[in-house]
Amino acid sequence: IEAIRTFTNAPPMVVDLPESASHEGIIGEVQTWASGYVDTAGADPTVLGILAQAGHNDSSAGDSDIAVIVATPQTIFEANLAQAAANTTAAATSLGTAYGIIARSTGTAWWVIDSSDTSNTRLRILKRRWDHAATDVNARFEFTFFVANCALVA
């Protein structure tokens, strides 16, 4: 996942927050709070944001701060539309649709917009990336997170 801009064309908000112990997060990975520390999100998360830097893998929680691009409804992110272990062919009907988000178990994209999940929604697709055709497999789309699923806003 990549943060693109805000609705006002400002850069996304980045904050340094205390990191959990043994955190090996990668840039672009979805993060949440775990006992007051930044940690990798699981299924159907309340989204703190995405990592702007790799994890430090410290032995104790709070030994390091980590840069997080904060998830807000005003921040526009971009990710592939796919499933945990399957590919998805984009369709015009994907625009405006609410989906979940998932860590992929196969393929090259780590976190994706989950085209198979319209029940545990976390985001709404705004538009397809300009250089991806409507019929591309695992096309990239711009989206925003719902306010109810943003950890620092909700």
Side-chain angles (χ1 to χ4, degrees):
I1 294 177
E2 185 178 353
I4 304 298
R5 64 185 177 286
T6 65
F7 279 110
T8 60
N9 284 324
M13 178 174 44
V14 179
V15 295
D16 291 329
L17 298 168
E19 184 179 27
S20 65
S22 304
H23 184 242
E24 296 179 338
I26 58 174
I27 294 171
E29 188 175 55
V30 177
Q31 302 296 293
T32 193
W33 286 118
S35 302
Y37 299 98
V38 174
D39 204 357
T40 303
D44 306 322
T46 298
V47 181
L48 177 61
I50 63 169
L51 285 182
Q53 71 180 95
H56 295 95
N57 196 22
D58 292 330
S59 58
S60 298
D63 280 355
S64 296
D65 285 348
I66 191 161
V68 176
I69 301 168
V70 178
T72 72
Q74 294 79 28
T75 303
I76 300 170
F77 293 89
E78 183 180 278
N80 297 80
L81 179 67
Q83 296 177 25
N87 294 325
T88 296
T89 300
T93 55
S94 300
L95 301 177
T97 302
Y99 290 111
I101 192 163
I102 194 165
R104 218 173 137 117
S105 57
T106 61
T108 56
W110 181 247
W111 281 84
V112 296
I113 302 166
D114 186 2
S115 65
S116 68
D117 189 356
T118 56
S119 298
N120 302 302
T121 59
R122 297 293 182 262
L123 58 90
R124 183 170 310 279
I125 288 183
L126 302 174
K127 71 178 203 174
R128 187 179 63 249
R129 194 165 112 171
W130 66 272
D131 60 343
H132 283 241
T135 56
D136 280 358
V137 173
N138 300 342
R140 289 186 68 80
F141 285 86
E142 293 182 5
F143 67 91
T144 59
F145 286 106
F146 293 128
V147 67
N149 303 117
C150 295
L152 293 182
V153 180

